[in-house]
């Protein structure tokens, strides 16, 4: 039963990753990392497919091996978080405390992303 649950979660995360490749504010790599982790427990063939993917495989492998994030991905992630906050702030007109809370949460996420090592060449 656990294998089926991990397989379904893997497909769900992979679908979100694929959608994220086309939507600017939805992260792709994070969902593919989660999909690979689920497929590792349910389908070695699908896990190998993600790890061997020409574009996303190196990112997933770098994360698995060293928790590494390439500099370009860090810049894109931080830019996306900043853009998302600006869109949130301008469209939702949040109160001061909500804006500060969301900003603090995004700043914490950005700090985590920036603090990760970069993959070795």
């Amino acid at each position: 039963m656990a294998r089926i649950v991990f397989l379904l979660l893997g497909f769900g995360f992979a679908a979100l990753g694929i959608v994220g490749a086309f939507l600017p504010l939805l992260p792709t790599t994070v969902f593919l990392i989660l999909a690979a982790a689920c497929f590792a427990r349910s389908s070695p063939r699908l896990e190998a497919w993600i790890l061997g993917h020409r574009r996303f495989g190196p990112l997933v492998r770098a994360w698995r091996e060293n928790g590494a994030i390439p500099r370009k991905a860090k810049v894109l992630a931080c830019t996306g978080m900043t853009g998302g906050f600006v869109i949130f702030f301008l469209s939702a007109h949040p109160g001061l405390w909500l804006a500060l809370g969301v900003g603090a949460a995004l700043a914490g996420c950005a700090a985590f992303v920036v603090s990760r090592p970069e993959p070795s060449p």
Side-chain angles (χ1 to χ4, degrees):
M1 184 64 165
R3 184 174 184 258
I4 293 171
V5 170
F6 279 117
L7 186 66
L8 292 174
L9 284 171
F11 279 124
F13 288 135
L16 286 171
I18 291 168
V19 170
F22 300 101
L23 295 178
L25 296 178
L26 190 64
T28 299
T29 307
V30 172
F31 289 120
L32 293 179
I33 289 168
L34 291 170
C38 290
F39 288 146
R41 292 159 182 80
S42 61
S43 174
R45 183 178 63 82
L46 291 171
E47 177 193 22
W49 174 73
I50 290 177
L51 294 176
H53 191 274
R54 178 182 56 84
R55 180 171 172 94
F56 300 111
L59 297 171
V60 175
R61 288 192 309 271
W63 177 258
R64 271 194 177 178
E65 293 166 7
N66 302 313
I69 300 174
R71 183 171 300 193
K72 181 179 177 183
K74 290 179 184 185
V75 170
L76 288 172
C78 290
T79 302
M81 285 185 253
T82 302
F85 180 77
V86 169
I87 291 169
F88 161 73
F89 189 80
L90 294 176
S91 65
H93 306 291
L96 175 64
W97 291 109
L98 179 59
L100 289 174
V102 170
L106 288 173
C109 292
F112 175 78
V113 167
V114 171
S115 72
R116 300 298 89 205
E118 294 184 19
S120 53

